[in-house]
């Protein structure tokens, strides 16, 4: 039996299903979770989606009003994790995954640790939502406007608006089809990628002022503190996009963005052509994609900066 057929069999068998994704969920995480939620409802199931906190940017997506912050840990026959490469990233809600009778992982990260009983991971896909599209089509689920909007949100956010090298011809075929059934692609694009909240803009301004260029301009480095987030009244997701600023500057090969958080520092890294930043993040227990990766590290901003620069400089030499 193929992996996808096994997944469908488990969905059919399960009376109670929970859909989970990573902490600080981005558009791909929320979009993929809700595309599966809407699809399973169409299939006659009533799954729970548990996402404690997410950016209000994604509140327009069909199904957000049904998202739960918590539930009964013992309740689930089947847990499905989407867009999450490592059980550590399920963080406070990994308990729902661990306690489920059957666990499925659907993802697109090359560093996925295959932490499910069944794993369907395609690192060649630019977004987990594009993996989900393939799965839903295999299940003969009708891709409604609602499901299409959720999938498109994942694709647009994880491809930086169709511009990353990870984009495939299927990405455009799907988007073209969505246009043909009347989905307002440019409106979704504007909602999830272009419009910035004021705190997001203010944090960009602070991060740009602090940007340093190291190693002959091959490394761009910047950071924000907890105090910056308090001063700007930042909400969940308001730091999104800052790491992209450095990567887009001529000559930069690696962009590093460090954000002070409760547990230490959350690091985001991006690269252009030559450096595999997920390899660097893996050294510190994180992961991601070759050109977009992250890790949470202990220590102050300065200590974390020093450790990261040591590794990046070694690779650039
Ligand atoms: P971002 O910089 O946007 O937070 O994350 C970039 C990519 O790296 C995303 O695909 C994200 O899932 C992954 N990533 C970020 N932080 C971590 C981490 O701590 N561990 C792992 N395994 N992946 C991460
Ligand atoms: Mn993703």
């Amino acid at each position: 039996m193929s992996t996808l057929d096994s997944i469908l069999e488990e969905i059919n068998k399960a009376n109670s299903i929970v859909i989970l994704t990573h902490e600080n969920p981005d558009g791909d995480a929320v979009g993929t979770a809700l595309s599966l939620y809407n699809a399973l409802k169409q299939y006659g199931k009533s799954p729970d989606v548990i996402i404690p906190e997410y950016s209000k940017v994604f509140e327009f997506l069909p199904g957000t009003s049904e998202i739960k912050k918590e539930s009964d840990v013992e309740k689930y026959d089947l847990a499905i994790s989407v867009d999450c490469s490592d059980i550590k990233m399920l963080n406070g809600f990994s308990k729902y995954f661990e306690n489920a009778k059957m666990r499925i992982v659907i993802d697109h990260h090359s560093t996925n640790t295959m932490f499910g009983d069944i794993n369907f991971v395609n690192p060649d896909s630019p977004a987990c939502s594009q993996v989900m599209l393939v799965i839903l089509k295999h299940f003969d689920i009708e891709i409604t406007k609602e499901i299409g909007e959720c999938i498109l949100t994942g694709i647009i956010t994880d491809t930086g608006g169709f511009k990353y090298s990870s984009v495939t011809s299927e990405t455009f075929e799907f988007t073209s089809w969505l246009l043909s059934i009347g989905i307002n692609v440019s409106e979704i694009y504007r909602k999830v990628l272009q419009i910035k909240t004021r705190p997001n803009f203010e944090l960009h301004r602070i991060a740009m002022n602090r940007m340093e260029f190291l190693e002959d301009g091959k490394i761009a480095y910047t950071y924000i503190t907890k105090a910056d987030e308090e001063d700007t009244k930042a909400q969940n997701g308001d730091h999104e996009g800052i790491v992209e600023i450095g990567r887009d500057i001529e000559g930069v090969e690696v962009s590093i963005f460090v954000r002070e958080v409760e547990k230490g520092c959350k690091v985001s890294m991006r690269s252009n052509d030559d450096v595999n930043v997920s390899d660097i993040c893996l050294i510190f227990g994180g992961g991601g994609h070759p050109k977009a990766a992250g890790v949470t590290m202990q220590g102050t901003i300065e200590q974390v900066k020093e450790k990261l620069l040591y590794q990046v400089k070694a690779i650039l030499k």
Side-chain angles (χ1 to χ4, degrees), residues 66-133:
E66 313 292 321
I67 290 178
K68 292 187 159 63
K69 282 189 186 301
E70 57 186 355
S71 179
D72 175 2
V73 176
E74 305 294 331
K75 183 174 151 189
Y76 298 106
D77 293 332
L78 174 63
I80 306 178
S81 162
V82 298
D83 195 38
C84 185
S85 60
D86 188 324
I87 194 157
K88 277 188 287 181
M89 292 210 34
L90 289 173
N91 207 6
F93 36 121
S94 57
K95 59 190 181 206
Y96 299 107
F97 194 80
E98 280 157 349
N99 280 289
K101 295 188 188 102
M102 169 54 71
R103 294 157 296 196
I104 294 176
V105 166
I106 297 171
D107 189 30
H108 72 128
H109 291 92
S110 53
T111 59
N112 194 293
T113 59
M114 305 291 177
F115 57 98
D117 300 307
I118 304 177
N119 302 284
F120 189 79
V121 178
N122 182 0
D124 296 328
S125 198
C128 190
S129 68
Q130 192 172 311
V131 179
M132 188 57 76
L133 176 67

Side-chain angles (χ1 to χ4, degrees), residues 4-280:
L4 290 187
D5 290 334
S6 313
I7 292 177
L8 189 58
E9 188 179 78
E10 293 304 330
I11 289 170
N12 277 321
K13 272 199 310 209
N15 287 319
S16 53
I17 303 175
V18 63
I19 301 169
L20 304 163
T21 189
H22 62 81
E23 61 178 337
N24 285 319
D26 53 18
D28 193 28
V30 180
T32 308
L34 289 175
S35 67
L36 180 60
Y37 170 77
N38 287 301
L40 291 185
K41 274 185 66 173
Q42 191 194 114
Y43 200 68
K45 298 281 175 179
S46 33
D48 287 344
V49 182
I50 304 180
I51 307 180
E53 272 187 275
Y54 59 94
S55 165
K56 60 179 189 309
V57 167
F58 307 119
E59 270 170 7
F60 75 96
L61 286 174
T64 45
S65 59
E66 313 292 321
I67 290 178
K68 292 187 159 63
K69 282 189 186 301
E70 57 186 355
S71 179
D72 175 2
V73 176
E74 305 294 331
K75 183 174 151 189
Y76 298 106
D77 293 332
L78 174 63
I80 306 178
S81 162
V82 298
D83 195 38
C84 185
S85 60
D86 188 324
I87 194 157
K88 277 188 287 181
M89 292 210 34
L90 289 173
N91 207 6
F93 36 121
S94 57
K95 59 190 181 206
Y96 299 107
F97 194 80
E98 280 157 349
N99 280 289
K101 295 188 188 102
M102 169 54 71
R103 294 157 296 196
I104 294 176
V105 166
I106 297 171
D107 189 30
H108 72 128
H109 291 92
S110 53
T111 59
N112 194 293
T113 59
M114 305 291 177
F115 57 98
D117 300 307
I118 304 177
N119 302 284
F120 189 79
V121 178
N122 182 0
D124 296 328
S125 198
C128 190
S129 68
Q130 192 172 311
V131 179
M132 188 57 76
L133 176 67
V134 172
I135 296 175
L136 298 183
K137 281 186 171 169
H138 184 87
F139 293 172
D140 276 333
I141 283 177
E142 185 200 346
I143 309 298
T144 57
K145 271 189 172 187
E146 287 75 21
I147 296 174
E149 281 184 6
C150 295
I151 291 175
L152 186 68
T153 292
I155 289 176
I156 290 177
T157 53
D158 259 27
T159 61
F162 307 107
K163 71 174 186 279
Y164 297 157
S165 54
S166 51
V167 165
T168 65
S169 59
E170 194 184 24
T171 314
F172 289 110
E173 279 162 23
F174 174 64
T175 309
S176 158
W177 176 76
L178 283 182
L179 265 172
S180 75
I181 64 162
I183 294 207
N184 194 332
V185 175
S186 73
E187 188 182 301
I188 294 180
Y189 191 109
R190 191 170 148 68
K191 276 185 182 157
V192 301
L193 219 53
Q194 267 179 295
I195 298 177
K196 307 255 182 284
T197 62
R198 268 298 290 277
N200 180 266
F201 173 77
E202 297 301 341
L203 290 176
H204 270 71
R205 197 203 305 260
I206 294 169
M208 280 167 112
N209 273 331
R210 285 186 190 142
M211 183 128 358
E212 281 178 62
F213 296 96
L214 307 154
E215 297 294 288
D216 287 334
K218 289 185 188 148
I219 303 173
Y221 165 82
T222 191
Y223 67 92
I224 55 171
T225 63
K226 279 192 271 190
D228 296 328
E229 297 205 42
E230 279 159 28
D231 294 347
T232 56
K233 300 188 172 57
Q235 306 272 315
N236 203 290
D238 277 334
H239 61 278
E240 290 290 339
I242 293 176
V243 67
E244 312 288 342
I245 308 169
R247 172 164 66 182
D248 289 343
I249 295 161
E250 195 177 21
V252 171
E253 290 185 20
V254 178
S255 171
I256 306 173
F257 166 53
V258 177
R259 181 174 158 243
E260 197 183 17
V261 292
E262 283 309 310
K263 293 173 277 185
C265 290
K266 177 80 216 184
V267 176
S268 281
M269 293 181 74
R270 298 290 185 271
S271 71
N272 279 313
D273 289 322
D274 300 325
V275 179
N276 182 330
V277 284
S278 74
D279 283 349
I280 298 170

